[in-house]
């Protein structure tokens, strides 16, 4: 499957408080292998979540405006958006969408992580757009692949 994730890097000051904030706003609890994800049904919900992320995580207004312009209201007429967040231990990690499926009201995404060797943290927002409008919540699991090195 072709990688259909849109990825945006951001800079944050991240600690336990920010982790708790994300966990409270996630569709699925953040545990080993599961990352923050939220299914967005319309533009106003996206704008509201981005405003919360600005307050709770300190994302920039520039990132928020960029995301809002890429997913305008008319795009939500026949699509939904899964917004995800992953704090990667290496900026050279590669994330690839392996599988996307809808089970009842749940959209489940499986992402593979290929570990890189750099020692820089990367805070990533990932976006997955789907035409399946039956889902009301999301679950995103990341699986670590063996390193190439």
């Amino acid at each position: 499957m072709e990688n259909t994730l849109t990825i945006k890097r951001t800079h944050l000051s991240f600690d336990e408080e920010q982790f708790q904030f994300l966990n409270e706003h996630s569709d699925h609890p953040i545990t080993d292998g599961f990352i923050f994800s939220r299914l967005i049904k319309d533009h106003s919900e996206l704008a509201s979540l981005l405003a919360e992320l600005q307050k709770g995580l300190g994302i920039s207004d520039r990132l928020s405006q960029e995301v809002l312009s890429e997913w305008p209201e008319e795009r939500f007429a026949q699509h939904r958006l899964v917004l995800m967040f992953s704090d990667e231990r290496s900026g050279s990690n590669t994330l690839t969408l392996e599988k996307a499926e809808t089970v009842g009201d749940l959209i489940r995404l499986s992402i593979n992580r290929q570990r890189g060797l750099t020692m820089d943290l990367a805070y990533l927002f990932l976006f997955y757009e789907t035409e399946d409008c039956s889902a009301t919540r999301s679950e995103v699991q990341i699986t670590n692949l063996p390193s190439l090195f």
Side-chain angles (χ1 to χ4, degrees):
M1 170 182 271
E2 182 182 7
N3 185 344
T4 56
L5 295 173
T6 300
I7 300 174
K8 298 190 179 296
R9 289 177 178 259
T10 190
H11 299 283
L12 300 171
S13 177
F14 199 80
D15 62 19
E16 186 64 29
E17 185 177 328
Q18 281 74 28
F19 173 82
Q20 289 302 326
F21 172 84
L22 285 171
N23 203 32
E24 291 169 9
H25 290 81
S26 183
D27 285 343
H28 184 276
I30 302 169
T31 58
D32 284 342
F34 290 91
I35 63 172
F36 168 87
S37 67
R38 180 92 163 262
L39 180 68
I40 309 295
K41 295 176 267 325
D42 59 45
H43 190 264
S44 63
E45 184 179 351
L46 178 61
S48 177
L49 178 60
L50 289 169
E52 290 179 51
L53 291 172
Q54 282 183 283
K55 290 178 192 170
L57 284 186
I59 69 167
S60 70
D61 185 55
R62 180 178 171 212
L63 174 64
S64 182
Q65 293 307 314
E66 184 180 327
V67 170
L68 288 171
S69 68
E70 286 184 39
W71 283 280
E73 182 64 45
E74 56 273 6
R75 204 158 167 186
F76 284 96
Q78 296 179 353
H79 296 90
R80 297 294 180 262
L81 182 68
V82 179
L83 186 149
M84 299 158 271
F85 176 80
S86 183
D87 55 332
E88 295 296 312
R89 301 297 180 229
S90 173
S92 61
N93 287 355
T94 303
L95 302 177
T96 307
L97 180 65
E98 177 66 24
K99 185 177 181 182
E101 64 181 343
T102 303
V103 180
D105 69 341
L106 176 70
I107 185 162
R108 182 178 291 149
L109 303 178
S110 298
I111 297 174
N112 288 333
R113 175 190 288 130
Q114 187 77 55
R115 294 265 184 211
L117 288 178
T118 60
M119 299 297 236
D120 57 329
L121 290 174
Y123 296 108
L124 306 177
F125 281 98
L126 303 97
F127 304 87
Y128 175 78
E129 191 171 350
T130 179
E131 292 180 1
D132 185 344
C133 295
S134 65
T136 60
R137 57 193 180 96
S138 63
E139 174 186 277
V140 180
Q141 185 171 18
I142 290 187
T143 303
N144 291 316
L145 297 176
S147 176
L148 294 174
F149 308 101

